[in-house]
Amino acid sequence: MLLEVENLTARYEAITALKEICFDVNEGEIVTMIGPNGAGKSTALKAVSGVLEATDGTIESGEILFEGESIKGLRTDELVAKGICLVPEGRRVFPTMTVLENLEMGAYKRKDKTAISQDIYMVLTLFPQLKERVKQKAGTLSTGEQQMLAMGRALMLKPKLLLADEPSLGLSPNFVELVFDKLVEINGKGTTILLVEQNASEALKIAHRAYVFSIGEIVLKDNCESLLHNEEVKKAFLGG
């Protein structure tokens, strides 16, 4: 088991955001979390990535294990060193820096210059749109291109577990399809992915397993093929 979350309870001041939730991610999987806005999906991702306290949240109880070791309470940079990397909601690229400089910033903890150059080439091969704009400032890219850059920057850290928070949010339909295709490709190259996504239909098509959230709790879990044909899920999230 790569990631195990056990009985996790988290709060934002007086509001309980997560109520003793449990979920896990096996190495090599894409696991997705779906559910309505405010259900706790992104809070769960922030807890795993170490940024919950930065958003005025707290973990009250529970345990988070990565490769069998507790990571609860570790700083984000310590989690990055262990192989956990977050692609945040809203992309958050460095707008005044070029595409290349953003990718180089993704490798800020690495010292292997030759391998860094090889990985930049890998990212630009994975996202050819970025290769055409490598000297362009990130702030002038389209939202879809910025999302690809955010994903590429995360890959420069060579993550074992990639956390993707709403990667399709605000994108045109063409870029939505492209982003999901690239997540599948990244997973196929060996990176495990934990995905929070409002576009439940597309998320269930690419993931292996899913957890359905509702008001801070996980109310359903199953393989994605089964959930795509689940009548409750279809009515709630798939327009069925």
Side-chain angles (χ1 to χ4, degrees):
M1 196 75 68
L2 187 64
L3 176 72
E4 297 174 82
V5 175
E6 303 172 348
N7 301 314
L8 184 68
T9 295
R11 299 177 66 87
Y12 292 105
E13 296 183 353
I15 299 171
T16 300
L18 299 172
K19 306 170 188 175
E20 296 189 338
I21 65 166
C22 300
F23 64 91
D24 55 65
V25 181
N26 295 309
E27 187 172 356
E29 284 188 310
I30 300 177
V31 173
T32 188
M33 298 174 173
I34 63 173
N37 286 331
K41 309 180 303 297
S42 290
T43 300
L45 212 61
K46 289 172 182 175
V48 173
S49 64
V51 301
L52 185 59
E53 288 189 2
T55 55
D56 297 322
T58 57
I59 295 175
E60 286 206 336
S61 61
E63 186 57 273
I64 305 172
L65 302 173
F66 184 69
E67 295 184 315
E69 296 183 359
S70 176
I71 59 170
K72 190 175 73 169
L74 294 185
R75 301 188 310 271
T76 300
D77 62 311
E78 294 173 318
L79 296 173
V80 166
K82 288 183 176 292
I84 301 173
C85 188
L86 173 68
V87 181
E89 179 183 343
R91 296 163 284 279
R92 300 183 192 176
V93 297
F94 300 107
T96 61
M97 299 173 69
T98 66
V99 167
L100 178 59
E101 289 168 340
N102 268 268
L103 295 178
E104 290 171 340
M105 283 295 292
Y108 74 100
K109 292 188 71 70
R110 297 173 56 184
K111 306 297 182 184
D112 47 343
K113 293 185 178 180
T114 300
I116 289 172
S117 296
Q118 292 171 344
D119 287 337
I120 289 174
Y121 177 81
M122 177 272 294
V123 169
L124 296 178
T125 301
L126 179 66
F127 299 109
Q129 295 90 338
L130 297 181
K131 187 175 183 180
E132 299 170 2
R133 293 163 173 75
V134 70
K135 296 182 179 180
Q136 189 171 326
K137 291 189 183 301
T140 66
L141 301 177
S142 70
T143 53
E145 290 163 346
Q146 288 184 19
Q147 184 62 52
M148 289 187 285
L149 180 56
M151 293 164 65
R153 184 180 61 193
L155 291 176
M156 291 300 299
L157 288 163
K158 303 182 76 69
K160 298 176 183 177
L161 176 63
L162 184 68
L163 309 174
D165 193 1
E166 303 285 8
S168 77
L169 188 66
L171 304 188
S172 68
N174 287 342
F175 272 115
V176 168
E177 183 177 357
L178 180 60
V179 163
F180 282 114
D181 285 346
K182 293 304 180 182
L183 287 172
V184 172
E185 191 171 346
I186 291 166
N187 178 247
K189 295 179 183 294
T191 303
T192 304
I193 297 173
L194 178 58
L195 168 67
V196 164
E197 181 55 56
Q198 281 292 311
N199 191 333
S201 177
E202 293 301 320
L204 291 174
K205 288 176 184 176
I206 70 164
H208 300 97
R209 294 187 297 117
Y211 293 89
V212 181
F213 279 65
S214 177
I215 317 177
E217 298 180 298
I218 293 172
V219 295
L220 191 60
K221 59 180 180 180
D222 207 337
N223 67 73
C224 290
E225 181 67 24
S226 296
L227 289 174
L228 279 167
H229 295 93
N230 181 292
E231 290 302 322
E232 291 184 16
V233 172
K234 287 168 68 174
K235 289 178 182 178
F237 305 114
L238 308 180

